Amino acid sequence: MTNGWLSLFYIFVLFIYLQYRKQMAMERQLFAVRIHSPILQTLRSVGFGLVGGLFVSLAAGALGIVVQAGNLWMVWAISILLFCFRVRFLCFAYAVGGLTLLQWLALLWPAGVSVQGIGTFWSWILAAKPVPLLAVVALMHFAEAVLIRWNGGRDASPLYLEGKRGKIVGAYHMQSFWLTPLLLLVPMQANSGLALQLFSGWPLFSPDLASSVYGLLFIPAVTGFSDMTQTVTPDQKARETAGPLGLYSLVLLLLSYAAVHVPALSIAAALFAIIGHEGLFRLSQRREQKHAPFFIQSSRGVKVMAVIPGTPAEEMGILCGEVIVKVNGIPVRDKTELYTALQANSAYCKMEVLTYSKEPKFVQCAVYAGNHHQLGIIVVPDSETKYYVDVRRLNLVQLLKQRISKIKLGA
C-alpha cells in the first residue's frame, strides 16, 4: 500500500504541473506572452504544501485524531463520484459529510446489510468512523485558509471574459494547488504499533481507542483553491476568501469535537461541512454579482490589467488595477496612446500613476532594447479587444468533450 500512496504522490505533482501548464498556455493565447512559470509554481506549491501538510499532521496527532485506513478509501470513492457532477465537489468536505450522512441512514436501516448487491457496502458504512475525518477536514481547510492568505493571488492568471451585457471585461482566474501529504495516526495490532498517551484524555477525537497502539499512515493529498474575480484585485480576493474559510474550519472542528461526546451532533457537523462549504462558494458568487467590474477602462487613464514578472513595469512597482495617467509627460487614455508615449523617449521612461487610493505616484526606469513593447504592462480590455475566454462550469463528461481554455472569437 505504501508504494501505491507514493505513486499517487507523484501523480499529484504531475497533476499540479499540468494544471499550471494549462494556465500558461491560456496566457500565451490571450496575451502572446507567458506570465507564470509552471515549474516555479509547482515547486512553490510542493514546498509550501509540505509545510501545510506538516502542520495538519502535527495538529491531528496532538489532538488525538485517529483515522481508519478503510474509511479513507470510501472517502476517495465518494469524492470521485461527486467529481462527476462538479469539479469543485472534489473536496473532502463534501465526501466526508456525505459519508457521515450515509452512516446515519445505515443506522436507521441496518437491515440493508442483508440486501443483495449493497450488503457489503452497507456493512462498511455501518462500521465507518467519520467524525475524526471531519476533524481532519477542518484542519486541512484551516491550512488552506492560511495558504490562500499567504499566496495573496500570486498564481492568479488574467483573463478577458464576456460581461453581463456582452462587453468584454478583465478578470482573474485564481487557481492554486498545494501538495499537502499527511501522516495520520491509525490503530495497529498490539505487537506492531507504538503506545502513546500525550496527556490525560488523549486522544480527544477517538476516546474509544485510548488503550490502543498506533501507527502512522502516509496520505498524499492536494489542497486546492479556485475562484474567479472581476470586481477586486487578486490580493483583495484572497483576503476576502481566507477569513471566512478560516472561521468555517474552526467551527467545523468544534462541531466535530462535540460530536465525539454527543454522537447525534455528527449530523450537524456533516451538514455544516457540506452546506457551509457550499455557502462560502455562493457568498463569493454573490459578491461578484453585486459589484461592478473593476478591470475595465478608466476615464482617467490606462488601467493596468497585469504586470509581467521580470519586466521594467515590475521593477517600477506598477501594480494591477492602478491607472497610468501620463507617460513621459504625455497624457494617455488607451493602449494606442500608451504605446505612442512610450516611443517618445527610447532610452528612459517616466510615468505618473494613480494608486488604488487614487493618490498619484511617480515611477521611472531605463529602457533597453529587447524590452516588452509596453514594458511588461498588460492593459484592461477595450472596444478593440476581440478575444476572450469562454469559461463554463463543467461536469466530468463535458470536461472530456471540450477544452477548458478554449479561446472564442467575440462578436
Side-chain angles (χ1 to χ4, degrees):
M1 183 178 293
T2 302
N3 290 335
W5 285 131
L6 286 174
S7 298
L8 196 56
F9 180 92
Y10 295 128
I11 290 173
F12 283 165
V13 173
L14 179 61
F15 166 80
I16 291 173
Y17 172 75
L18 291 177
Q19 291 300 310
Y20 286 138
R21 186 174 176 82
K22 182 186 297 182
Q23 173 181 302
M24 180 193 71
M26 186 162 54
E27 292 169 352
R28 286 189 183 278
Q29 287 180 295
L30 274 176
F31 308 111
V33 67
R34 185 191 73 180
I35 299 175
H36 293 93
S37 168
I39 294 179
L40 291 179
Q41 287 178 293
T42 302
L43 291 175
R44 187 166 60 237
S45 296
V46 172
F48 284 92
L50 290 174
V51 175
L54 178 62
F55 161 77
V56 174
S57 300
L58 292 175
L63 294 174
I65 300 175
V66 183
V67 301
Q68 309 289 328
N71 294 175
L72 293 170
W73 288 109
M74 286 190 285
V75 170
W76 271 112
I78 295 172
S79 296
I80 293 172
L81 179 64
L82 293 174
F83 176 72
C84 295
F85 295 94
R86 285 289 186 275
V87 174
R88 61 186 173 85
F89 287 168
L90 187 63
C91 173
F92 279 1
Y94 298 103
V96 178
L99 176 62
T100 307
L101 296 178
L102 278 174
Q103 186 180 60
W104 275 97
L105 180 61
L107 291 171
L108 292 175
W109 186 50
V113 296
S114 60
V115 177
Q116 186 175 5
I118 67 168
T120 302
F121 170 75
W122 214 245
S123 64
W124 292 345
I125 295 295
L126 281 170
K129 294 185 177 181
V131 171
L133 291 175
L134 286 171
V136 173
V137 169
L139 292 176
M140 290 186 68
H141 279 81
F142 184 82
E144 180 184 342
V146 173
L147 288 169
I148 290 172
R149 184 63 192 93
W150 161 81
N151 194 57
R154 187 181 304 176
D155 294 322
S157 185
L159 303 172
Y160 292 158
L161 304 178
E162 185 176 23
K164 295 179 181 179
R165 299 180 181 178
K167 182 179 179 181
I168 299 177
V169 301
Y172 269 88
H173 184 205
M174 301 182 65
Q175 180 174 259
S176 296
F177 300 95
W178 298 280
L179 187 64
T180 51
L182 307 178
L183 284 173
L184 299 179
L185 294 173
V186 293
M188 302 288 288
Q189 296 179 357
N191 59 352
S192 61
L194 177 67
L196 292 175
Q197 185 68 37
L198 298 184
F199 51 83
S200 178
W202 188 93
L204 296 179
F205 284 83
S206 302
D208 56 321
L209 298 175
S211 58
S212 300
V213 294
Y214 310 98
L216 290 174
L217 177 65
F218 173 74
I219 305 172
V222 175
T223 300
F225 165 65
S226 181
D227 207 344
M228 192 81 67
T229 178
Q230 301 179 31
T231 60
V232 294
T233 63
D235 182 65
Q236 185 175 344
K237 186 70 172 182
R239 292 197 300 270
E240 292 178 356
T241 301
L245 184 59
L247 179 61
Y248 162 84
S249 64
L250 293 176
V251 173
L252 180 57
L253 186 64
L254 291 175
L255 285 173
S256 302
Y257 181 67
V260 172
H261 302 283
V262 184
L265 289 178
S266 63
I267 297 180
L271 290 174
F272 179 79
I274 298 171
I275 297 173
H277 198 282
E278 190 68 11
L280 292 175
F281 171 77
R282 301 294 177 183
L283 176 63
S284 177
Q285 294 292 298
R286 182 174 297 179
R287 284 174 176 168
E288 289 296 312
Q289 294 170 359
K290 284 178 60 177
H291 296 89
F294 177 69
F295 293 103
I296 57 176
Q297 287 183 285
S298 170
S299 59
R300 297 191 174 189
V302 178
K303 183 171 285 189
V304 178
M305 180 76 219
V307 173
I308 302 171
T311 60
E314 183 184 51
E315 295 174 8
M316 287 190 288
I318 296 176
L319 304 175
C320 73
E322 293 185 333
V323 178
I324 300 172
V325 179
K326 290 183 180 180
V327 177
N328 295 322
I330 304 172
V332 293
R333 292 292 180 269
D334 55 43
K335 62 184 179 184
T336 301
E337 293 183 355
L338 172 64
Y339 181 73
T340 302
L342 287 171
Q343 306 308 306
N345 190 333
S346 60
Y348 212 76
C349 177
K350 295 182 178 180
M351 292 187 182
E352 179 182 341
V353 181
L354 289 179
T355 65
Y356 302 139
S357 57
K358 309 303 180 185
E359 296 179 356
K361 73 176 183 180
F362 299 90
V363 297
Q364 56 187 0
C365 73
V367 179
Y368 301 98
N371 284 151
H372 186 270
H373 69 284
Q374 290 179 175
L375 302 185
I377 298 169
I378 297 174
V379 303
V380 298
D382 56 23
S383 58
E384 296 180 0
T385 302
K386 295 181 179 180
Y387 292 94
Y388 64 93
V389 178
D390 183 13
V391 177
R392 301 175 183 177
R393 300 192 177 278
L394 305 175
N395 62 32
L396 181 58
V397 175
Q398 292 171 324
L399 193 65
L400 295 174
K401 290 181 179 179
Q402 181 177 352
R403 294 170 55 199
I404 290 181
S405 59
K406 175 184 175 184
I407 301 300
K408 178 178 176 182
L409 182 61

